[in-house]
Structure formats: structure tokens, C-alpha cells
Amino acid sequence: MIEDNGLTPGDRLPSERELSERLHVGRSSVREALRALELLGLIETRRGEGTYIRDFKDHQLIPLLSTFILQGDKSKRDVIETKTLIEKDCLSLVLNRQLKEDHLNRLLDEVDDDTPLDDFLVKIIQLADNYLILRIWLILKDFSDSFALHDDKLQKSDYIQFIQVLTSKDQEKVLKVYEKLKGMSNNR
């Protein structure tokens, strides 16, 4: 319904009565669902004004879930491994896309010394042009950020080397440079 109506953060949700009618459920069910969404920080209720959508980026859902779901070291390794697999697959997608070299070179304008590797990788993943993969990767990134395992800032020269290899379209070389950069970011 939020998507169908084009609602964005800051927009007011319909009343409980209207939601109940639209969704064909009881008002008590709507009230409980709204209470749960408010507890997660996805909506806010302003007394006398109504219920409003909050900015998704400000909610604490990922850290909250990670405290319950990702308690063991294996769970954390699984998140990092899955994130890495997605990154590698996105590199393959980018290599198979008919991207102009200037698309890749434009990425260099957006990085400098000490740019976090994930800030660079999100741009690569966007070039893969698969919205679902991007959303999954962002969730995994949020989970891995909650672990606070390392500082992953690299130098611009590292990114220049990576772009040069990407433009060569040699998948084996690209994966080697990717692994090197991941190793460098984990050791800083």
C-alpha cells in the first residue's frame, strides 16, 4: 500500500479505520501492526495528528535484529561470506554489461584517499543494475557494519588500479585485485 500510493518518509498514513477497511482486517489487528512498526522505528504516531512514515535510514532495525539473530561467530562469518559472494557476482555482472569506460572512470571522481571500500563497492553494485541484489547487499552491509570488525579505508591509488583492471574485462584479474583490496582493508 505504501508503494502503491507513493508514500515516502514524512507522509501520513491513513487512519486505523481506513486501513482496516482497505486491508479487510479488524481495527485491533491494524492497531497491533502499527504498534509493532512504531517499536521498530519505521513509523511515528503524533498525538492528535496521525501516524507518519519515518526515514528508513534512521531506524535501528538492523542492529536490533543482529543482537537476536547474529550472536554466534558462525552467523557473523555467514553474513560476511554471503556479502563477499554478492560482491563477486556483481563484479561479473559489471564485466558482462556493455558499460562505457567513462562510467567506470567517473567512479574515480567519487573516491579519494581513505574512502571506505564499501562506499566504492556500492557504486560497483549499482553498475550491475540489479535492484534486488543491491537491496540484499545493503542489508548484509548493515549487519556486517554492526560487527565493527575493521576499518576498511583504502587509498585512491588502490581504486585507480581496480578501475583499470575492470576496464580490461579480465574476470580473473578483477577477482585477484578485489581479493587484494579486501585483504588490505581487513588488515588496516
Side-chain angles (χ1 to χ4, degrees):
M1 180 182 70
I2 289 172
E3 190 174 300
D4 290 344
N5 292 338
L7 298 176
T8 60
D11 288 344
R12 185 171 186 248
L13 290 174
S15 67
E16 284 182 13
R17 183 186 52 75
E18 188 177 341
L19 287 170
S20 175
E21 290 171 4
R22 278 187 177 180
L23 300 172
H24 307 289
V25 296
R27 282 183 71 174
S28 61
S29 296
V30 169
R31 192 174 301 116
E32 288 302 313
L34 290 173
R35 190 172 298 137
L37 290 171
E38 188 165 23
L39 283 172
L40 291 171
L42 299 174
I43 62 171
E44 68 178 313
T45 302
R46 300 178 194 157
R47 196 164 187 89
E49 292 182 43
T51 304
Y52 294 83
I53 298 173
R54 292 186 67 189
D55 187 0
F56 179 78
K57 293 177 182 168
D58 290 338
H59 76 80
Q60 298 297 312
L61 180 61
I62 297 299
L64 178 65
L65 288 175
S66 69
T67 60
F68 294 106
I69 298 171
L70 302 172
Q71 293 185 4
D73 288 339
K74 181 172 179 352
S75 296
K76 293 175 183 177
R77 281 192 309 272
D78 289 350
V79 166
I80 292 167
E81 182 178 57
T82 304
K83 181 176 171 282
T84 299
L85 289 169
I86 288 174
E87 291 165 1
K88 288 179 178 181
D89 283 342
C90 283
L91 288 170
S92 294
L93 284 172
V94 168
L95 290 173
N96 291 323
R97 301 270 190 248
Q98 297 300 318
L99 295 175
K100 295 180 180 172
E101 197 169 315
D102 64 311
H103 282 102
L104 295 171
N105 287 328
R106 259 187 265 145
L107 293 178
L108 293 177
D109 295 335
E110 300 176 27
V111 297
D112 52 24
D113 288 347
D114 297 327
T115 296
L117 182 58
D118 279 348
D119 287 2
F120 178 75
L121 288 174
V122 73
K123 295 174 187 325
I124 297 293
I125 292 167
Q126 288 168 336
L127 287 175
D129 197 27
N130 185 311
Y131 182 72
L132 180 59
I133 288 175
L134 174 64
R135 297 295 305 154
I136 292 169
W137 183 86
L138 288 170
I139 291 169
L140 292 171
K141 177 192 173 305
D142 284 347
F143 275 123
S144 66
D145 286 351
S146 72
F147 308 151
L149 296 177
H150 56 80
D151 183 345
D152 61 353
K153 294 178 180 176
L154 300 173
Q155 301 299 307
K156 184 163 184 162
S157 60
D158 299 320
Y159 296 118
I160 291 171
Q161 178 191 11
F162 192 66
I163 294 294
Q164 288 170 342
V165 173
L166 267 174
T167 57
S168 76
K169 301 243 182 223
D170 183 330
Q171 185 161 351
E172 190 175 316
K173 286 182 182 177
V174 167
L175 290 177
K176 279 183 182 178
V177 171
Y178 165 81
E179 293 289 344
K180 177 183 163 195
L181 292 181
K182 287 291 275 193
M184 288 170 58
S185 74
N186 289 331
N187 293 323
R188 288 188 185 217

